Structures are given as structure tokens and as C-alpha cells.
């Protein structure tokens, strides 16, 4: 089965700790994205990557970091600098950045920081 | 814990009736639009897309209509079923030069009553 996997589904952390969310795709897509979803709001872009070893800041990158060392993997680290990290995080991929077409989403990770 | 649906407009439809979900988009330069369905606790799923050079596109039980004059997009679901209950949101793509961005609406919750 081709698709995007995110793990874990639920994640709990104490304030002040960094945490890394996993995202893997086997669709052979070049572009990958991280979004944050909060109740009553649309998806907001955190970071995106057009190709391996390249990534760009999205609209709300502060307090987050990413890496793209492999085509199939795009992990997101939520750092202690992120002031309001509790949210639902969605990873997505697409055939190529700038190519019109859908973004395929993973199942999401619910992060709760207390 | 739900991540979507709070404070969203809600459309209640009886099973078997047709549903119409509306979306106003923001940018007249948007060249591509997507409708997504998001079930409780899951990632968004692609439903149907349409390019800006089209007014209408049909899929299985779904139709998307695009009115560029008033920047309005609608999703019609025929013979609505209980499994259609979810949050639906539109996304618009703006591509200019080397930058491409998908912007998501906040969504509408569809409740199907028996």
C-alpha cells in the first residue's frame, strides 16, 4: 500500500522539551509539507521541502525545525521555543512542488504539551 | 480529542438528500482548487479538484462548481449518506514564478441525519 505514515498518533510532552514527529511516504513524491491544525482554523503551513536536502519556511515556522535527508522522510521537531505547541500536526506530500495536483495527507499526530 | 469541527459552520442534511457546501476563495489569481474531506481524528482526504479554466467537474456522486466572477466554489454531494458526515474544506492554489502555495479554508461540518 502506498501512502504517508505519521507516528505516533498521540504524543504527550512536558513544557520545555523538544519533540520530533515522524513522517514517512512511499509514494516517491519529491515535495513534502508540514501543517498545523487548530480548532476553527484552516491548515497553516509550517515548513515544506521541494526536494531532498532542501526545505523552506512556511507561514508559521518559528519554534519548529525540519530535515530532509531522505526522499521518503521529513521529520518535524517542535522545540521549546514554540509558544503554543499543543495542536494536531499533519504531514503531506505531492508529486512535485509547483506541479498542480493534490497533496496527500497522513493521519496526523496530536501533540499535547503540559 | 477533536482537532476540527469546533466553531465551524454546520450543514445538516437528511440521508438521501443532496448536499451543497460552499466556499469563498480569496485570490483571483488562484489557478487550481481542491475539496478535501476530513473525518474525526484523521487526515484530510482528496475528493475532487478543478482548474481555473473549468466551470464544472463531476466525480462519483460529487460535483464541483467554480464561479470565478464572484470567487466562489461549491461542492455538491448527491444522495448524501451517513458516511459523508465529516468536515469539508476547500483549498486554493496560487502559483507565481517559483512559488506555489495551497491555502486552506476553515471548513464546514456536514451532519447527515437518518
Amino acid at each position: 500500500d502506498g501512502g504517508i505514515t505519521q507516528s505516533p498518533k498521540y504524543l504527550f510532552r512536558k513544557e520545555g522539551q523538544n519533540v520530533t514527529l515522524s513522517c514517512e511516504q512511499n509514494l516517491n513524491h519529491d515535495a513534502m509539507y508540514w501543517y498545523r491544525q487548530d480548532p476553527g482554523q484552516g491548515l497553516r503551513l509550517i515548513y515544506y521541502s521541494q526536494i531532498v536536502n532542501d526545505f523552506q519556511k512556511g507561514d508559521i515556522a518559528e519554534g519548529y525545525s525540519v530535515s530532509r535527508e531522505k526522499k521518503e522522510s521529513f521529520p518535524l521537531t517542535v522545540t521549546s521555543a514554540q509558544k503554543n505547541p499543543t495542536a494536531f500536526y499533519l504531514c503531506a506530500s505531492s508529486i512535485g512542488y509547483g506541479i498542480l495536483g493534490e497533496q496527500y495527507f497522513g493521519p496526523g499526530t496530536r501533540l499535547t504539551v503540559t | 480529542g477533536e482537532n476540527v469541527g469546533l466553531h465551524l459552520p454546520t450543514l445538516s442534511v437528511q440521508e438521501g438528500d443532496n448536499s451543497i457546501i460552499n466556499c469563498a476563495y480569496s485570490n483571483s489569481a488562484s489557478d487550481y482548487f481542491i475539496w478535501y474531506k476530513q473525518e474525526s481524528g484523521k487526515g484530510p482526504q482528496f475528493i475532487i479538484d478543478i482548474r481555473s479554466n473549468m466551470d464544472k467537474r463531476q466525480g462519483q456522486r460529487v460535483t464541483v462548481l467554480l464561479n470565478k466572477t464572484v470567487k466562489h466554489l461549491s461542492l455538491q454531494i448527491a444522495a448524501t449518506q451517513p458516511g459523508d458526515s465529516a468536515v469539508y474544506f476547500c483549498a486554493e492554489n496560487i502559483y507565481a514564478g517559483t512559488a506555489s502555495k495551497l491555502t486552506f479554508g476553515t471548513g464546514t461540518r456536514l451532519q447527515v441525519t437518518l
Side-chain angles (χ1 to χ4, degrees):
Chain A
D1 279 339
I4 302 179
T5 57
Q6 291 183 243
S7 61
K9 187 171 177 64
Y10 298 97
L11 193 52
F12 297 89
R13 281 293 184 271
K14 294 290 187 184
E15 193 174 321
Q17 294 179 334
N18 291 354
V19 60
T20 298
L21 282 58
S22 167
C23 177
E24 303 278 329
Q25 55 100 359
N26 61 4
L27 299 167
N28 200 33
H29 286 170
D30 281 324
M32 296 188 74
Y33 313 81
W34 273 105
Y35 292 93
R36 172 186 172 130
Q37 187 173 38
D38 294 284
Q41 296 192 38
L43 303 183
R44 292 185 290 168
L45 182 64
I46 304 172
Y47 267 98
Y48 66 94
S49 169
Q50 299 183 43
I51 202 164
V52 176
N53 293 322
D54 173 78
F55 50 84
Q56 306 292 332
K57 291 182 179 180
D59 299 319
I60 55 165
E62 186 176 349
Y64 300 98
S65 66
V66 294
S67 63
R68 186 87 186 276
E69 297 175 3
K70 297 187 295 182
K71 186 176 185 177
E72 54 272 18
S73 180
F74 190 41
L76 172 75
T77 297
V78 184
T79 75
S80 57
Q82 168 50 231
K83 298 195 184 311
N84 186 19
T86 294
F88 190 51
Y89 290 88
L90 287 160
C91 179
S93 72
S94 66
I95 291 173
Y97 183 78
I99 298 174
L100 290 185
E102 65 176 289
Q103 290 184 13
Y104 294 76
F105 284 87
T109 292
R110 170 70 179 175
L111 173 64
T112 302
V113 177
T114 58
Chain B
E2 292 296 320
N3 302 288
V4 295
L6 295 181
H7 315 299
L8 291 179
T10 299
L11 174 67
S12 290
V13 174
Q14 199 157 17
E15 182 182 5
D17 288 350
N18 296 334
S19 303
I20 299 176
I21 301 170
N22 297 304
C23 177
Y25 63 93
S26 60
N27 198 313
S28 56
S30 296
D31 58 358
Y32 176 66
F33 305 86
I34 307 175
W35 277 102
Y36 282 96
K37 172 185 179 182
Q38 188 173 24
E39 296 177 348
S40 175
K42 297 184 178 180
Q45 295 174 279
F46 171 89
I47 303 172
I48 192 167
D49 59 2
I50 188 168
R51 297 196 178 208
S52 58
N53 60 354
M54 301 172 68
D55 297 322
K56 177 180 180 178
R57 188 158 190 231
Q58 288 184 291
Q60 188 177 10
R61 273 200 316 119
V62 294
T63 300
V64 56
L65 297 177
L66 175 62
N67 185 331
K68 294 180 286 291
T69 302
V70 295
K71 293 188 287 186
H72 184 266
L73 197 66
S74 69
L75 176 71
Q76 301 178 2
I77 304 174
T80 311
Q81 303 168 359
D84 294 328
S85 293
V87 173
Y88 292 81
F89 54 89
C90 65
E92 59 180 301
N93 183 79
I94 303 170
Y95 181 60
T98 59
S100 177
K101 182 173 179 179
L102 205 59
T103 302
F104 296 84
T106 55
T108 297
R109 173 182 289 280
L110 177 65
Q111 289 182 337
V112 181
T113 57
L114 303 178

